[in-house]
Amino acid sequence: MAQQLDYQTLQQIFSRFQALEPEPVGELFHTNAYTLLVAVVLSAQATDVGVNKATRPLFATVDTPQAMLALGLDGLTEAIKTIGLYRQKAQNVMRLSQILVDDYGGQVPSSRAALQSLPGVGRKTANVVLNIWWHIPAQAVDTHIFRLGNRTGICPGRDVAAVERAIEDHLPAEFQQHAHHWLILHGRYICTARNPRCGICPIRDLCPFEDKTI
């Protein structure tokens, strides 16, 4: 685990991320807050590409919890059967849809606690929805962020909660809103688990990771 980088270095790193991608966006297809929530629930232990292949045709007609309940468990299971753990995920989506209808008037709440009370929704999922839809600077720490955060010292921590706190505690406020997007993209396409692409890394000179590739 690398040591936490200082404030000035973090400011330089995220200034470069911002220059390269001023308005980063999530890669999960969605049309509203509800479809975003469903997409994130379905994305657990699955790729965004794989989820999008299943949800694009699904969300063309099913974009509210009421429509999901009308589709039914069997219909949803069939629609998402190409996604890993699809049976359990289908059950969670149906249950959370019923709760949204019964307790929230069919609307997705903007509270982390309320979101986390829904079946299949953990802190990371809640933070994605809060950040992307409600524009709250919540940090959704996935495996990419955990890996590069510890490898580079951008946001080191022994678990995802510690990495999330490291972002919130040390990163300049002006970068908080888009921080997890920049980090996910960097971890997904540059600072990969195997054979990181250090030769084209925009922050190579600021990174303490020694095992750099050419």
Side-chain angles (χ1 to χ4, degrees), residues 42-106:
L42 296 179
S43 71
Q45 300 182 50
T47 66
D48 289 357
V49 172
V51 172
N52 289 343
K53 286 181 179 178
T55 56
R56 282 185 183 278
L58 174 66
F59 293 159
T61 55
V62 180
D63 60 357
T64 66
Q66 294 89 341
M68 187 66 74
L69 293 173
L71 176 66
L73 179 60
D74 290 344
L76 176 58
T77 302
E78 178 65 23
I80 66 169
K81 64 183 180 181
T82 57
I83 300 174
L85 306 175
Y86 69 97
R87 294 188 186 278
Q88 181 60 52
K89 290 176 181 179
Q91 293 178 9
N92 285 337
V93 169
M94 298 307 296
R95 289 167 58 208
L96 74 81
S97 297
Q98 189 67 62
I99 293 171
L100 290 178
V101 170
D102 292 344
D103 298 345
Y104 298 98

Short mmCIF file of all heavy atoms in Angstrom, two decimals, residues 42-106:
data_model
loop_
_atom_site.label_atom_id
_atom_site.label_comp_id
_atom_site.label_asym_id
_atom_site.label_seq_id
_atom_site.Cartn_x
_atom_site.Cartn_y
_atom_site.Cartn_z
N LEU A 42 -27.89 -4.63 -11.26
CA LEU A 42 -27.56 -5.73 -12.17
C LEU A 42 -26.07 -5.81 -12.47
O LEU A 42 -25.57 -6.86 -12.88
CB LEU A 42 -28.32 -5.56 -13.49
CG LEU A 42 -29.85 -5.63 -13.43
CD1 LEU A 42 -30.44 -5.41 -14.82
CD2 LEU A 42 -30.31 -6.97 -12.86
N SER A 43 -25.34 -4.72 -12.25
CA SER A 43 -23.93 -4.68 -12.64
C SER A 43 -22.99 -5.35 -11.64
O SER A 43 -21.80 -5.51 -11.93
CB SER A 43 -23.49 -3.23 -12.85
OG SER A 43 -23.40 -2.54 -11.61
N ALA A 44 -23.49 -5.74 -10.48
CA ALA A 44 -22.64 -6.38 -9.49
C ALA A 44 -22.01 -7.65 -10.08
O ALA A 44 -22.72 -8.51 -10.61
CB ALA A 44 -23.45 -6.72 -8.25
N GLN A 45 -20.69 -7.75 -10.01
CA GLN A 45 -19.95 -8.89 -10.55
C GLN A 45 -20.26 -9.14 -12.03
O GLN A 45 -20.32 -10.29 -12.48
CB GLN A 45 -20.23 -10.15 -9.72
CG GLN A 45 -19.84 -10.01 -8.26
CD GLN A 45 -20.09 -11.27 -7.47
OE1 GLN A 45 -19.69 -12.35 -7.87
NE2 GLN A 45 -20.74 -11.13 -6.32
N ALA A 46 -20.51 -8.07 -12.75
CA ALA A 46 -20.76 -8.15 -14.20
C ALA A 46 -20.15 -6.92 -14.85
O ALA A 46 -19.91 -5.91 -14.19
CB ALA A 46 -22.25 -8.23 -14.48
N THR A 47 -19.92 -6.98 -16.15
CA THR A 47 -19.37 -5.83 -16.86
C THR A 47 -20.47 -4.89 -17.29
O THR A 47 -21.61 -5.31 -17.53
CB THR A 47 -18.58 -6.27 -18.10
OG1 THR A 47 -19.49 -6.86 -19.06
CG2 THR A 47 -17.51 -7.30 -17.73
N ASP A 48 -20.13 -3.62 -17.41
CA ASP A 48 -21.10 -2.64 -17.89
C ASP A 48 -21.58 -2.99 -19.30
O ASP A 48 -22.75 -2.85 -19.62
CB ASP A 48 -20.49 -1.23 -17.89
CG ASP A 48 -20.30 -0.69 -16.48
OD1 ASP A 48 -20.69 -1.38 -15.52
OD2 ASP A 48 -19.74 0.43 -16.35
N VAL A 49 -20.66 -3.47 -20.13
CA VAL A 49 -21.01 -3.82 -21.50
C VAL A 49 -22.05 -4.94 -21.51
O VAL A 49 -23.05 -4.89 -22.24
CB VAL A 49 -19.75 -4.26 -22.29
CG1 VAL A 49 -20.14 -4.82 -23.65
CG2 VAL A 49 -18.80 -3.08 -22.46
N GLY A 50 -21.83 -5.95 -20.69
CA GLY A 50 -22.76 -7.06 -20.63
C GLY A 50 -24.13 -6.65 -20.10
O GLY A 50 -25.16 -7.10 -20.60
N VAL A 51 -24.13 -5.78 -19.10
CA VAL A 51 -25.40 -5.29 -18.55
C VAL A 51 -26.14 -4.47 -19.60
O VAL A 51 -27.36 -4.61 -19.79
CB VAL A 51 -25.16 -4.46 -17.27
CG1 VAL A 51 -26.46 -3.79 -16.81
CG2 VAL A 51 -24.61 -5.35 -16.16
N ASN A 52 -25.43 -3.60 -20.29
CA ASN A 52 -26.07 -2.74 -21.29
C ASN A 52 -26.72 -3.54 -22.41
O ASN A 52 -27.78 -3.15 -22.93
CB ASN A 52 -25.04 -1.77 -21.88
CG ASN A 52 -24.62 -0.70 -20.90
OD1 ASN A 52 -25.29 -0.46 -19.90
ND2 ASN A 52 -23.50 -0.04 -21.17
N LYS A 53 -26.11 -4.66 -22.80
CA LYS A 53 -26.70 -5.48 -23.86
C LYS A 53 -28.07 -5.99 -23.46
O LYS A 53 -28.97 -6.13 -24.30
CB LYS A 53 -25.77 -6.65 -24.19
CG LYS A 53 -24.52 -6.27 -24.97
CD LYS A 53 -23.67 -7.50 -25.28
CE LYS A 53 -22.43 -7.11 -26.08
NZ LYS A 53 -21.57 -8.30 -26.36
N ALA A 54 -28.24 -6.30 -22.18
CA ALA A 54 -29.52 -6.80 -21.70
C ALA A 54 -30.51 -5.68 -21.41
O ALA A 54 -31.72 -5.83 -21.66
CB ALA A 54 -29.31 -7.65 -20.44
N THR A 55 -30.01 -4.56 -20.90
CA THR A 55 -30.94 -3.52 -20.43
C THR A 55 -31.42 -2.56 -21.52
O THR A 55 -32.49 -1.98 -21.38
CB THR A 55 -30.31 -2.71 -19.29
OG1 THR A 55 -29.06 -2.14 -19.74
CG2 THR A 55 -30.08 -3.57 -18.07
N ARG A 56 -30.66 -2.38 -22.58
CA ARG A 56 -31.12 -1.47 -23.63
C ARG A 56 -32.50 -1.88 -24.17
O ARG A 56 -33.42 -1.06 -24.23
CB ARG A 56 -30.09 -1.36 -24.76
CG ARG A 56 -28.92 -0.46 -24.43
CD ARG A 56 -27.98 -0.27 -25.60
NE ARG A 56 -26.83 0.54 -25.25
CZ ARG A 56 -26.82 1.86 -25.22
NH1 ARG A 56 -27.92 2.53 -25.56
NH2 ARG A 56 -25.73 2.51 -24.87
N PRO A 57 -32.69 -3.13 -24.58
CA PRO A 57 -34.03 -3.51 -25.03
C PRO A 57 -35.05 -3.55 -23.89
O PRO A 57 -36.22 -3.22 -24.09
CB PRO A 57 -33.83 -4.91 -25.65
CG PRO A 57 -32.56 -5.41 -25.06
CD PRO A 57 -31.71 -4.21 -24.82
N LEU A 58 -34.61 -3.92 -22.69
CA LEU A 58 -35.52 -3.97 -21.54
C LEU A 58 -36.05 -2.59 -21.19
O LEU A 58 -37.27 -2.40 -21.03
CB LEU A 58 -34.79 -4.56 -20.33
CG LEU A 58 -35.55 -4.56 -19.00
CD1 LEU A 58 -36.76 -5.48 -19.08
CD2 LEU A 58 -34.62 -4.97 -17.86
N PHE A 59 -35.16 -1.61 -21.10
CA PHE A 59 -35.56 -0.27 -20.68
C PHE A 59 -36.34 0.49 -21.75
O PHE A 59 -36.91 1.54 -21.48
CB PHE A 59 -34.34 0.54 -20.26
CG PHE A 59 -33.66 0.04 -19.01
CD1 PHE A 59 -32.33 0.38 -18.74
CD2 PHE A 59 -34.33 -0.76 -18.11
CE1 PHE A 59 -31.70 -0.07 -17.60
CE2 PHE A 59 -33.71 -1.24 -16.96
CZ PHE A 59 -32.39 -0.88 -16.70
N ALA A 60 -36.38 -0.05 -22.96
CA ALA A 60 -37.18 0.59 -24.01
C ALA A 60 -38.66 0.57 -23.65
O ALA A 60 -39.43 1.46 -24.07
CB ALA A 60 -36.95 -0.11 -25.34
N THR A 61 -39.08 -0.41 -22.89
CA THR A 61 -40.50 -0.52 -22.51
C THR A 61 -40.70 -0.58 -21.00
O THR A 61 -41.78 -0.28 -20.51
CB THR A 61 -41.14 -1.78 -23.13
OG1 THR A 61 -40.37 -2.93 -22.76
CG2 THR A 61 -41.17 -1.65 -24.65
N VAL A 62 -39.66 -0.96 -20.27
CA VAL A 62 -39.78 -1.09 -18.81
C VAL A 62 -38.87 -0.07 -18.15
O VAL A 62 -37.67 -0.30 -17.97
CB VAL A 62 -39.40 -2.52 -18.37
CG1 VAL A 62 -39.54 -2.67 -16.85
CG2 VAL A 62 -40.27 -3.55 -19.08
N ASP A 63 -39.42 1.09 -17.80
CA ASP A 63 -38.59 2.15 -17.23
C ASP A 63 -39.18 2.74 -15.95
O ASP A 63 -38.76 3.82 -15.51
CB ASP A 63 -38.35 3.25 -18.26
CG ASP A 63 -39.64 3.90 -18.75
OD1 ASP A 63 -40.73 3.46 -18.34
OD2 ASP A 63 -39.55 4.86 -19.54
N THR A 64 -40.13 2.06 -15.34
CA THR A 64 -40.70 2.47 -14.06
C THR A 64 -40.89 1.22 -13.20
O THR A 64 -40.99 0.10 -13.73
CB THR A 64 -42.06 3.15 -14.22
OG1 THR A 64 -43.02 2.19 -14.71
CG2 THR A 64 -41.99 4.34 -15.18
N PRO A 65 -40.95 1.38 -11.88
CA PRO A 65 -41.20 0.20 -11.05
C PRO A 65 -42.55 -0.44 -11.33
O PRO A 65 -42.69 -1.66 -11.25
CB PRO A 65 -41.10 0.74 -9.62
CG PRO A 65 -41.22 2.21 -9.73
CD PRO A 65 -40.69 2.57 -11.07
N GLN A 66 -43.53 0.37 -11.69
CA GLN A 66 -44.84 -0.17 -12.04
C GLN A 66 -44.76 -1.07 -13.27
O GLN A 66 -45.34 -2.16 -13.31
CB GLN A 66 -45.83 0.97 -12.28
CG GLN A 66 -46.16 1.80 -11.05
CD GLN A 66 -45.22 2.98 -10.83
OE1 GLN A 66 -44.11 3.01 -11.38
NE2 GLN A 66 -45.65 3.94 -10.04
N ALA A 67 -44.02 -0.62 -14.28
CA ALA A 67 -43.86 -1.42 -15.50
C ALA A 67 -43.07 -2.70 -15.21
O ALA A 67 -43.34 -3.75 -15.80
CB ALA A 67 -43.16 -0.60 -16.57
N MET A 68 -42.11 -2.61 -14.28
CA MET A 68 -41.33 -3.80 -13.93
C MET A 68 -42.22 -4.82 -13.24
O MET A 68 -42.14 -6.03 -13.52
CB MET A 68 -40.17 -3.41 -13.01
CG MET A 68 -39.20 -4.56 -12.74
SD MET A 68 -38.29 -5.10 -14.22
CE MET A 68 -37.12 -3.73 -14.41
N LEU A 69 -43.08 -4.37 -12.35
CA LEU A 69 -43.99 -5.29 -11.68
C LEU A 69 -44.96 -5.92 -12.67
O LEU A 69 -45.32 -7.09 -12.55
CB LEU A 69 -44.75 -4.55 -10.57
CG LEU A 69 -43.89 -4.06 -9.40
CD1 LEU A 69 -44.72 -3.21 -8.45
CD2 LEU A 69 -43.26 -5.23 -8.65
N ALA A 70 -45.38 -5.14 -13.65
CA ALA A 70 -46.27 -5.67 -14.68
C ALA A 70 -45.56 -6.72 -15.54
O ALA A 70 -46.17 -7.71 -15.97
CB ALA A 70 -46.80 -4.54 -15.56
N LEU A 71 -44.26 -6.52 -15.79
CA LEU A 71 -43.48 -7.49 -16.55
C LEU A 71 -43.40 -8.82 -15.80
O LEU A 71 -43.52 -9.89 -16.40
CB LEU A 71 -42.07 -6.95 -16.79
CG LEU A 71 -41.07 -7.89 -17.49
CD1 LEU A 71 -41.51 -8.18 -18.92
CD2 LEU A 71 -39.66 -7.29 -17.47
N GLY A 72 -43.22 -8.75 -14.49
CA GLY A 72 -43.19 -9.95 -13.67
C GLY A 72 -41.82 -10.58 -13.57
O GLY A 72 -40.92 -10.30 -14.37
N LEU A 73 -41.65 -11.43 -12.57
CA LEU A 73 -40.36 -12.06 -12.32
C LEU A 73 -39.89 -12.91 -13.49
O LEU A 73 -38.72 -12.85 -13.87
CB LEU A 73 -40.45 -12.91 -11.04
CG LEU A 73 -39.17 -13.67 -10.66
CD1 LEU A 73 -38.01 -12.71 -10.42
CD2 LEU A 73 -39.42 -14.54 -9.43
N ASP A 74 -40.78 -13.69 -14.06
CA ASP A 74 -40.38 -14.56 -15.17
C ASP A 74 -39.92 -13.74 -16.37
O ASP A 74 -38.93 -14.08 -17.03
CB ASP A 74 -41.54 -15.47 -15.58
CG ASP A 74 -41.83 -16.54 -14.54
OD1 ASP A 74 -40.97 -16.77 -13.67
OD2 ASP A 74 -42.93 -17.13 -14.60
N GLY A 75 -40.63 -12.66 -16.66
CA GLY A 75 -40.27 -11.82 -17.79
C GLY A 75 -38.92 -11.15 -17.58
O GLY A 75 -38.09 -11.08 -18.51
N LEU A 76 -38.66 -10.66 -16.36
CA LEU A 76 -37.38 -10.02 -16.08
C LEU A 76 -36.25 -11.04 -16.10
O LEU A 76 -35.18 -10.78 -16.65
CB LEU A 76 -37.42 -9.33 -14.71
CG LEU A 76 -36.11 -8.70 -14.25
CD1 LEU A 76 -35.62 -7.66 -15.25
CD2 LEU A 76 -36.26 -8.10 -12.86
N THR A 77 -36.48 -12.21 -15.53
CA THR A 77 -35.46 -13.27 -15.52
C THR A 77 -35.03 -13.62 -16.94
O THR A 77 -33.85 -13.78 -17.23
CB THR A 77 -35.99 -14.52 -14.80
OG1 THR A 77 -36.37 -14.17 -13.46
CG2 THR A 77 -34.93 -15.60 -14.75
N GLU A 78 -35.99 -13.73 -17.83
CA GLU A 78 -35.68 -14.04 -19.23
C GLU A 78 -34.89 -12.91 -19.88
O GLU A 78 -33.96 -13.14 -20.66
CB GLU A 78 -36.98 -14.28 -20.00
CG GLU A 78 -36.81 -14.55 -21.49
CD GLU A 78 -36.07 -15.84 -21.78
OE1 GLU A 78 -36.05 -16.75 -20.91
OE2 GLU A 78 -35.49 -15.96 -22.88
N ALA A 79 -35.24 -11.66 -19.54
CA ALA A 79 -34.60 -10.50 -20.17
C ALA A 79 -33.15 -10.32 -19.75
O ALA A 79 -32.34 -9.79 -20.51
CB ALA A 79 -35.39 -9.23 -19.84
N ILE A 80 -32.80 -10.78 -18.53
CA ILE A 80 -31.45 -10.54 -18.02
C ILE A 80 -30.65 -11.83 -17.83
O ILE A 80 -29.63 -11.83 -17.14
CB ILE A 80 -31.49 -9.75 -16.69
CG1 ILE A 80 -32.15 -10.60 -15.59
CG2 ILE A 80 -32.20 -8.43 -16.87
CD1 ILE A 80 -31.99 -10.02 -14.19
N LYS A 81 -31.06 -12.90 -18.49
CA LYS A 81 -30.43 -14.20 -18.25
C LYS A 81 -28.98 -14.28 -18.73
O LYS A 81 -28.26 -15.22 -18.38
CB LYS A 81 -31.24 -15.30 -18.91
CG LYS A 81 -31.32 -15.23 -20.43
CD LYS A 81 -32.21 -16.33 -20.98
CE LYS A 81 -32.30 -16.28 -22.51
NZ LYS A 81 -33.19 -17.35 -23.03
N THR A 82 -28.53 -13.29 -19.51
CA THR A 82 -27.12 -13.27 -19.94
C THR A 82 -26.21 -12.63 -18.89
O THR A 82 -24.99 -12.64 -19.05
CB THR A 82 -26.98 -12.50 -21.26
OG1 THR A 82 -27.49 -11.17 -21.08
CG2 THR A 82 -27.74 -13.20 -22.38
N ILE A 83 -26.79 -12.08 -17.84
CA ILE A 83 -26.02 -11.41 -16.79
C ILE A 83 -25.75 -12.39 -15.65
O ILE A 83 -26.64 -13.15 -15.26
CB ILE A 83 -26.78 -10.17 -16.25
CG1 ILE A 83 -27.04 -9.16 -17.39
CG2 ILE A 83 -26.00 -9.49 -15.13
CD1 ILE A 83 -27.91 -8.00 -16.97
N GLY A 84 -24.57 -12.36 -15.10
CA GLY A 84 -24.23 -13.23 -13.99
C GLY A 84 -25.14 -13.05 -12.79
O GLY A 84 -25.58 -11.92 -12.50
N LEU A 85 -25.43 -14.14 -12.11
CA LEU A 85 -26.29 -14.14 -10.92
C LEU A 85 -27.68 -13.57 -11.22
O LEU A 85 -28.31 -12.94 -10.38
CB LEU A 85 -25.64 -13.34 -9.78
CG LEU A 85 -24.22 -13.74 -9.38
CD1 LEU A 85 -23.65 -12.79 -8.34
CD2 LEU A 85 -24.19 -15.17 -8.87
N TYR A 86 -28.17 -13.81 -12.42
CA TYR A 86 -29.39 -13.14 -12.88
C TYR A 86 -30.63 -13.52 -12.10
O TYR A 86 -31.54 -12.69 -11.93
CB TYR A 86 -29.60 -13.40 -14.38
CG TYR A 86 -29.96 -14.82 -14.75
CD1 TYR A 86 -31.29 -15.20 -14.95
CD2 TYR A 86 -28.98 -15.78 -14.94
CE1 TYR A 86 -31.62 -16.49 -15.31
CE2 TYR A 86 -29.30 -17.08 -15.30
CZ TYR A 86 -30.61 -17.44 -15.48
OH TYR A 86 -30.95 -18.71 -15.83
N ARG A 87 -30.70 -14.73 -11.58
CA ARG A 87 -31.91 -15.13 -10.85
C ARG A 87 -32.07 -14.34 -9.55
O ARG A 87 -33.15 -13.82 -9.25
CB ARG A 87 -31.90 -16.64 -10.57
CG ARG A 87 -31.99 -17.49 -11.83
CD ARG A 87 -32.16 -18.96 -11.49
NE ARG A 87 -32.09 -19.79 -12.68
CZ ARG A 87 -33.11 -20.00 -13.51
NH1 ARG A 87 -34.28 -19.42 -13.26
NH2 ARG A 87 -32.98 -20.77 -14.58
N GLN A 88 -30.99 -14.25 -8.79
CA GLN A 88 -31.04 -13.48 -7.54
C GLN A 88 -31.25 -12.00 -7.82
O GLN A 88 -32.01 -11.32 -7.12
CB GLN A 88 -29.76 -13.69 -6.74
CG GLN A 88 -29.73 -12.95 -5.40
CD GLN A 88 -30.85 -13.38 -4.47
OE1 GLN A 88 -31.02 -14.57 -4.23
NE2 GLN A 88 -31.62 -12.44 -3.96
N LYS A 89 -30.58 -11.50 -8.85
CA LYS A 89 -30.74 -10.09 -9.20
C LYS A 89 -32.17 -9.78 -9.63
O LYS A 89 -32.71 -8.72 -9.29
CB LYS A 89 -29.74 -9.72 -10.30
CG LYS A 89 -28.29 -9.71 -9.84
CD LYS A 89 -27.34 -9.42 -10.98
CE LYS A 89 -25.90 -9.43 -10.53
NZ LYS A 89 -24.96 -9.17 -11.64
N ALA A 90 -32.78 -10.68 -10.37
CA ALA A 90 -34.17 -10.48 -10.80
C ALA A 90 -35.09 -10.39 -9.59
O ALA A 90 -35.98 -9.54 -9.53
CB ALA A 90 -34.60 -11.60 -11.74
N GLN A 91 -34.87 -11.26 -8.61
CA GLN A 91 -35.68 -11.22 -7.40
C GLN A 91 -35.50 -9.90 -6.65
O GLN A 91 -36.48 -9.30 -6.18
CB GLN A 91 -35.33 -12.40 -6.50
CG GLN A 91 -35.72 -13.75 -7.08
CD GLN A 91 -35.30 -14.91 -6.19
OE1 GLN A 91 -34.87 -14.71 -5.05
NE2 GLN A 91 -35.42 -16.13 -6.70
N ASN A 92 -34.25 -9.43 -6.56
CA ASN A 92 -33.99 -8.17 -5.87
C ASN A 92 -34.67 -7.00 -6.59
O ASN A 92 -35.24 -6.12 -5.94
CB ASN A 92 -32.49 -7.92 -5.78
CG ASN A 92 -31.81 -8.78 -4.74
OD1 ASN A 92 -32.45 -9.26 -3.80
ND2 ASN A 92 -30.51 -9.00 -4.90
N VAL A 93 -34.59 -6.99 -7.92
CA VAL A 93 -35.20 -5.90 -8.68
C VAL A 93 -36.71 -5.89 -8.49
O VAL A 93 -37.33 -4.82 -8.33
CB VAL A 93 -34.84 -6.00 -10.17
CG1 VAL A 93 -35.69 -5.04 -11.01
CG2 VAL A 93 -33.36 -5.70 -10.38
N MET A 94 -37.34 -7.05 -8.48
CA MET A 94 -38.78 -7.11 -8.28
C MET A 94 -39.16 -6.64 -6.88
O MET A 94 -40.12 -5.89 -6.69
CB MET A 94 -39.30 -8.53 -8.52
CG MET A 94 -39.09 -9.05 -9.93
SD MET A 94 -39.73 -7.97 -11.25
CE MET A 94 -41.48 -8.00 -10.89
N ARG A 95 -38.38 -7.04 -5.89
CA ARG A 95 -38.67 -6.64 -4.51
C ARG A 95 -38.46 -5.15 -4.31
O ARG A 95 -39.29 -4.48 -3.68
CB ARG A 95 -37.79 -7.44 -3.55
CG ARG A 95 -38.17 -8.92 -3.44
CD ARG A 95 -37.10 -9.72 -2.73
NE ARG A 95 -36.81 -9.22 -1.40
CZ ARG A 95 -35.64 -9.33 -0.78
NH1 ARG A 95 -34.62 -9.94 -1.39
NH2 ARG A 95 -35.47 -8.86 0.43
N LEU A 96 -37.38 -4.60 -4.85
CA LEU A 96 -37.14 -3.17 -4.68
C LEU A 96 -38.18 -2.35 -5.44
O LEU A 96 -38.57 -1.27 -4.99
CB LEU A 96 -35.71 -2.79 -5.05
CG LEU A 96 -35.25 -2.74 -6.51
CD1 LEU A 96 -35.63 -1.46 -7.21
CD2 LEU A 96 -33.73 -2.93 -6.58
N SER A 97 -38.64 -2.87 -6.56
CA SER A 97 -39.67 -2.18 -7.33
C SER A 97 -40.97 -2.10 -6.54
O SER A 97 -41.65 -1.06 -6.52
CB SER A 97 -39.91 -2.89 -8.67
OG SER A 97 -38.75 -2.87 -9.46
N GLN A 98 -41.32 -3.19 -5.86
CA GLN A 98 -42.52 -3.19 -5.05
C GLN A 98 -42.40 -2.20 -3.89
O GLN A 98 -43.36 -1.48 -3.58
CB GLN A 98 -42.78 -4.61 -4.50
CG GLN A 98 -44.13 -4.76 -3.82
CD GLN A 98 -45.29 -4.64 -4.80
OE1 GLN A 98 -45.40 -5.44 -5.72
NE2 GLN A 98 -46.12 -3.62 -4.62
N ILE A 99 -41.23 -2.15 -3.27
CA ILE A 99 -41.02 -1.21 -2.17
C ILE A 99 -41.11 0.23 -2.66
O ILE A 99 -41.70 1.10 -2.00
CB ILE A 99 -39.66 -1.46 -1.50
CG1 ILE A 99 -39.68 -2.83 -0.79
CG2 ILE A 99 -39.31 -0.36 -0.51
CD1 ILE A 99 -38.33 -3.27 -0.27
N LEU A 100 -40.54 0.51 -3.83
CA LEU A 100 -40.62 1.87 -4.39
C LEU A 100 -42.06 2.28 -4.62
O LEU A 100 -42.45 3.43 -4.34
CB LEU A 100 -39.82 1.96 -5.69
CG LEU A 100 -38.29 1.86 -5.58
CD1 LEU A 100 -37.66 1.93 -6.95
CD2 LEU A 100 -37.73 2.97 -4.69
N VAL A 101 -42.87 1.37 -5.12
CA VAL A 101 -44.29 1.66 -5.36
C VAL A 101 -45.03 1.84 -4.04
O VAL A 101 -45.80 2.81 -3.86
CB VAL A 101 -44.94 0.54 -6.19
CG1 VAL A 101 -46.46 0.72 -6.23
CG2 VAL A 101 -44.38 0.54 -7.61
N ASP A 102 -44.79 0.94 -3.09
CA ASP A 102 -45.53 0.96 -1.84
C ASP A 102 -45.13 2.10 -0.90
O ASP A 102 -45.98 2.71 -0.25
CB ASP A 102 -45.34 -0.36 -1.09
CG ASP A 102 -45.98 -1.54 -1.80
OD1 ASP A 102 -46.82 -1.31 -2.69
OD2 ASP A 102 -45.62 -2.69 -1.47
N ASP A 103 -43.82 2.39 -0.85
CA ASP A 103 -43.32 3.32 0.17
C ASP A 103 -42.85 4.67 -0.36
O ASP A 103 -42.73 5.62 0.41
CB ASP A 103 -42.16 2.68 0.94
CG ASP A 103 -42.58 1.42 1.68
OD1 ASP A 103 -43.80 1.20 1.85
OD2 ASP A 103 -41.68 0.64 2.09
N TYR A 104 -42.57 4.76 -1.67
CA TYR A 104 -41.98 6.00 -2.20
C TYR A 104 -42.75 6.56 -3.40
O TYR A 104 -42.21 7.37 -4.15
CB TYR A 104 -40.51 5.76 -2.59
CG TYR A 104 -39.65 5.36 -1.42
CD1 TYR A 104 -39.35 4.02 -1.17
CD2 TYR A 104 -39.15 6.32 -0.54
CE1 TYR A 104 -38.57 3.64 -0.09
CE2 TYR A 104 -38.36 5.95 0.55
CZ TYR A 104 -38.08 4.61 0.77
OH TYR A 104 -37.31 4.25 1.85
N GLY A 105 -43.98 6.13 -3.57
CA GLY A 105 -44.78 6.66 -4.67
C GLY A 105 -44.20 6.36 -6.04
O GLY A 105 -44.45 7.09 -7.00
N GLY A 106 -43.40 5.29 -6.14
CA GLY A 106 -42.80 4.93 -7.41
C GLY A 106 -41.55 5.70 -7.76
O GLY A 106 -41.00 5.53 -8.85
#
